Amino acid sequence: MTDANIEAVHRKTRQRLLFTGIHLVLYFSFTLNWTSWGEGLGGYLGESRLTGSLLMFVVLVLTFIVLETIFLMLSRREAR
Amino acid sequence: MQRLIFQVTPGIALLLWSDFIVAAGAIEGASGRQAVNPIAIGMFLLFVAFTLYVTWWAAKSTKTSSTFYNAGGQITGAQNGLAIAGDFMSAASFLGITGLMYVGGFDGLILSLGAFGAWPVFMFLFAKRVRNLGNFTFIDVISQRLDRDPIRLVTAFSTILIVIMYLIAQMVGAGTLIQFLFGLPYEWALLLVSVLVLAYVAFGGMLATTWVQIIKAGLLLTGVTLIAALLLADSGFSFSNLLGKAAVNHPSGEGILRAGSIFDDPVQILTIQVSMLFGTVGLPHILMRLFTVPDMRQAKLSAYYASLFIGYFYIALLVLGFGSIAYVAGNPEFLNEQGKLIGGSNMAAIHVATAMGGDILTGFMSAVCFATILAVVAGLTLSGAAAISHDVYAEVLKKGKPDPKTELRLTRISVLLIGFAAVSLGIAFQHENIAFIATIPMVVSASVTFPILFLSLFWKDFTTRGAMYGAGVGLISSIVLIVLGPQVWVSLLGNAEALFPYDYPALFTMPASVSIMVWVSLRDRSDRGAVDRDNYLRLLVRSEFGPSEKEMAQS
């Protein structure tokens, strides 16, 4: 075990926890829909029947996938 | 009339499958049963014939316990991602989430997000590290750092508990669903599921189980894509139009397009989110799939592909859920004499298939539901068998040096025993309200499996003693709070009010379990505690870079 290896693992651990933290904040933000702070999400987007709540669901799913993609790309770059 | 159509089972219908099970009584009787659909039977027989062929092919290369447990590590990341997605895109997800959206519109999405949200965490925290440290089960990972015998026994016990509870819920739901869709008597339905699953698992091991899961996941994704496309086409390819139709058809009107139709307590939403996310990440049959790929890169890709497939699936269910309100609600074709939806709200997904594609699509989706049950039960059975034969027999009783032939034989015997238990318990619980049984696996997984695995991999001061005490607190508090909650205390025992207000207590039991693990570990001055701490750095490096050449040579 070299110091460089250990430092690399610690850096990777921080990265893992950072991504997990961002993900959890976004994930639990969905609860806002059921609180008074999230009342605005119930409104319609323009003339459509699409509400902010429904849009939030789709955006969260897509954001999680984007987060994973970034994580994978960073891992791949580090591996090189 | 509309009130009757949208009647919700008391408590949180979150219970996906269990909701369906509770409603089983309502399905019995000719008026509540789907007419026998020859297309469904034909398609199902085709699926069975093909998967049995796959099992025969897989059996030829399943000669050792290694190939039995992890398919010889020959599955690619994309294939494994689809199999992992298949494990989670169960009949419960498909029918339960669409059913809950049929009842409450937007509120049903909490389950979709809860289930999907687990996968990024799975990838960020576990995919690579678990793959690098384990061989066949996640218990291999933690027992490399902690005292192997006690930790293996505790985690194998929680694994078997999770598997058995999950199996009971699946089997009772399966019997009821198959009875409804195919007109088969309940007991025969269970027997059929069990015989097919035994064939897949006992002969084909993980290789056959994985391919059955891949085939089924492909069919399910095809089915939901087709229904969603037809729904959107019929609405002028405008999701907004579909939402408008749904709002007109539902007694809550436009209220279904925002939060509040079913749930009004944010704490309840948080308990569901915590249980779904951390419970899913700790499910043993999901973690076991990380060992079927050749290396850590493919393990990460597995988790990534699983996310893509599951994300797509839940976005398609968004269309199906609102589509079911728009096209099924109030349609006399799908209502019984009492004005209720035939088969209950969990049949909304099948009815919307009928509304969009007639008998052919109904037959296809019914066959897919049956296939889904087979694949999920197969994965669970394999995971339970591995816990008995690998974790307890090979690693604890034989100290990691079992006779390979005996181990493989014991695995197959374990599969038979689990199959027998599944059928017996499925019949025993047929007429019981077992909603709480479906709750236990998620809560125990979130309160026992997840904390042990996470702290083993990420905290240097974690010790065996801390793990044992924390697991005990997590397990006991989970069971006690579920018993005191609405599902058991009110629905099962008939009391007027629950002593604990939430169905899923993981929001409270998981922090309790983690706190005890941390508190006891920090105060642990034993020799074993020192060894556990010393093991951390070595395993940390190995978890990121894989085994060293010296370790490879030794193994």
Side-chain angles (χ1 to χ4, degrees):
Chain A
M1 276 187 292
T2 64
D3 286 347
N5 269 357
I6 293 171
E7 178 48 39
V9 174
H10 284 314
R11 194 173 57 242
K12 192 71 196 171
T13 302
R14 284 194 295 273
Q15 190 185 79
R16 289 181 187 286
L17 295 176
L18 175 69
F19 272 83
T20 305
I22 294 170
H23 171 75
L24 290 179
V25 169
L26 291 171
Y27 174 76
F28 285 113
S29 70
F30 198 58
T31 309
L32 283 175
N33 283 292
W34 284 267
T35 66
S36 53
W37 293 325
E39 269 172 11
L41 291 165
Y44 291 113
L45 300 174
E47 297 296 306
S48 79
R49 297 286 89 186
L50 197 67
T51 57
S53 299
L54 287 166
L55 184 68
M56 184 183 192
F57 172 79
V58 176
V59 168
L60 281 178
V61 169
L62 297 177
T63 307
F64 294 165
I65 291 174
V66 169
L67 264 181
E68 286 187 275
T69 309
I70 295 170
F71 183 82
L72 262 188
M73 285 166 61
L74 286 175
S75 301
R76 197 166 290 180
R77 201 173 65 184
E78 284 164 14
R80 277 205 296 267
Chain B
M1 169 85 95
Q2 289 234 310
R3 279 246 164 268
L4 280 174
I5 296 168
F6 289 94
Q7 216 163 32
V8 194
T9 334
I12 145 179
L14 129 73
L15 315 170
L16 300 171
W17 210 217
S18 53
D19 184 34
F20 185 75
I21 298 158
V22 175
I27 297 169
E28 289 167 4
S31 64
R33 189 177 292 170
Q34 192 94 310
V36 174
N37 182 333
I39 297 167
I41 294 172
M43 286 183 178
F44 174 68
L45 290 178
L46 203 63
F47 172 83
V48 169
F50 187 58
T51 48
L52 285 177
Y53 169 76
V54 168
T55 304
W56 171 77
W57 162 77
K60 288 192 290 185
S61 54
T62 303
K63 304 289 184 203
T64 65
S65 49
S66 166
T67 47
F68 190 94
Y69 295 134
N70 67 8
Q74 56 181 291
I75 307 292
T76 68
Q79 291 165 345
N80 199 38
L82 193 52
I84 291 175
D87 266 323
F88 214 74
M89 297 184 307
S90 60
S93 298
F94 171 60
L95 300 176
I97 290 176
T98 312
L100 196 57
M101 288 185 69
Y102 172 83
V103 170
F106 176 82
D107 278 13
L109 290 175
I110 186 62
L111 298 185
S112 294
L113 195 77
F116 176 69
W119 300 103
V121 174
F122 189 72
M123 185 174 119
F124 299 148
L125 296 181
F126 290 158
K128 184 177 179 182
R129 291 192 170 186
V130 169
R131 174 64 184 81
N132 273 343
L133 292 176
N135 294 318
F136 303 131
T137 67
F138 79 95
I139 302 173
D140 291 334
V141 177
I142 48 183
S143 64
Q144 287 196 40
R145 179 174 170 197
L146 306 178
D147 193 1
R148 48 184 288 151
D149 286 0
I151 205 68
R152 269 191 191 274
L153 286 174
V154 165
T155 42
F157 174 76
S158 74
T159 296
I160 293 166
L161 180 73
I162 289 168
V163 166
I164 294 288
M165 294 297 147
Y166 218 129
L167 268 179
I168 294 174
Q170 287 288 332
M171 292 302 268
V172 177
T176 312
L177 177 68
I178 293 164
Q179 188 179 28
F180 174 74
L181 290 177
F182 293 85
L184 265 182
Y186 180 89
E187 291 80 4
W188 282 101
L190 288 200
L191 211 57
L192 181 61
V193 169
S194 198
V195 166
L196 286 169
V197 166
L198 289 180
Y200 296 148
V201 181
F203 297 108
M206 180 57 101
L207 189 56
T209 305
T210 300
W211 275 103
V212 169
Q213 197 61 273
I214 290 171
I215 295 165
K216 161 241 139 165
L219 291 173
L220 185 56
L221 287 173
T222 307
V224 294
T225 302
L226 203 57
I227 301 172
L230 290 169
L231 282 166
L232 288 174
D234 208 61
S235 307
F237 289 101
S238 163
F239 186 49
S240 177
N241 286 349
L242 184 70
L243 293 174
K245 278 187 202 173
V248 168
N249 252 5
H250 199 284
S252 300
E254 299 192 347
I256 58 165
L257 306 179
R258 53 184 70 87
S261 296
I262 300 176
F263 308 115
D264 54 7
D265 179 0
V267 179
Q268 190 177 32
I269 295 296
L270 277 176
T271 63
I272 295 169
Q273 285 193 298
V274 168
S275 304
M276 294 292 285
L277 189 143
F278 296 106
T280 301
V281 172
L283 285 175
H285 65 293
I286 304 274
L287 287 164
M288 197 176 173
R289 289 216 172 273
L290 289 174
F291 306 111
T292 63
V293 290
D295 54 43
M296 55 190 180
R297 183 170 171 273
Q298 294 297 325
K300 269 192 302 188
L301 281 178
S302 301
Y304 182 65
Y305 281 116
S307 280
L308 291 182
F309 292 126
I310 296 171
Y312 173 76
F313 176 71
Y314 285 127
I315 286 180
L317 282 198
L318 175 70
V319 179
L320 258 70
F322 284 107
S324 70
I325 304 173
Y327 288 86
V328 173
N331 185 338
E333 191 187 339
F334 305 113
L335 305 179
N336 63 17
E337 294 88 354
Q338 290 83 41
K340 289 183 181 176
L341 194 66
I342 296 172
S345 60
N346 284 293
M347 281 299 105
I350 298 294
H351 293 319
V352 79
T354 310
M356 289 294 107
D359 280 352
I360 294 180
L361 198 51
T362 310
F364 180 75
M365 292 315 295
S366 301
V368 167
C369 284
F370 201 158
T372 296
I373 291 164
L374 289 177
V376 172
V377 172
L380 285 167
T381 305
L382 187 66
S383 174
I388 296 170
S389 56
H390 173 67
D391 293 316
V392 177
Y393 168 77
E395 295 295 330
V396 176
L397 296 179
K398 293 294 174 184
K399 305 294 177 198
K401 294 184 176 62
D403 170 40
K405 282 187 179 167
T406 311
E407 185 184 355
L408 188 57
R409 196 165 52 241
L410 183 67
T411 309
R412 289 189 163 129
I413 293 170
S414 304
V415 169
L416 281 173
L417 287 175
I418 291 173
F420 179 73
V423 173
S424 309
L425 292 170
I427 291 172
F429 283 92
Q430 180 182 359
H431 300 295
E432 303 297 326
N433 178 347
I434 63 156
F436 72 98
I437 287 181
T439 315
I440 292 174
M442 284 298 191
V443 178
V444 170
S445 172
S447 311
V448 178
T449 312
F450 175 80
I452 292 183
L453 191 55
F454 176 75
L455 293 175
S456 295
L457 292 172
F458 288 91
W459 188 43
K460 66 179 170 53
D461 285 324
F462 192 43
T463 68
T464 305
R465 189 178 289 173
M468 304 292 284
Y469 279 93
V473 168
L475 190 63
I476 293 167
S477 61
S478 298
I479 305 285
V480 168
L481 290 184
I482 288 171
V483 169
L484 299 180
Q487 293 173 48
V488 177
W489 201 252
V490 177
S491 304
L492 194 67
L493 301 177
N495 293 297
E497 206 168 319
L499 297 177
F500 177 77
Y502 304 111
D503 289 312
Y504 275 62
L507 177 65
F508 308 94
T509 56
M510 192 181 85
S513 159
V514 171
S515 305
I516 294 295
M517 285 179 189
V518 170
W519 192 75
V520 174
S521 294
L522 288 175
R523 276 153 189 75
D524 184 0
R525 298 284 169 261
S526 65
D527 292 344
R528 180 64 227 186
V531 174
D532 295 337
R533 291 184 189 99
D534 287 346
N535 282 341
Y536 176 69
L537 205 55
R538 180 176 55 83
L539 287 181
L540 185 66
V541 173
R542 188 178 161 190
S543 70
E544 280 295 340
F545 297 110
S548 64
E549 286 178 10
K550 190 177 160 192
E551 286 170 322
M552 293 277 271
Q554 282 172 350
S555 66

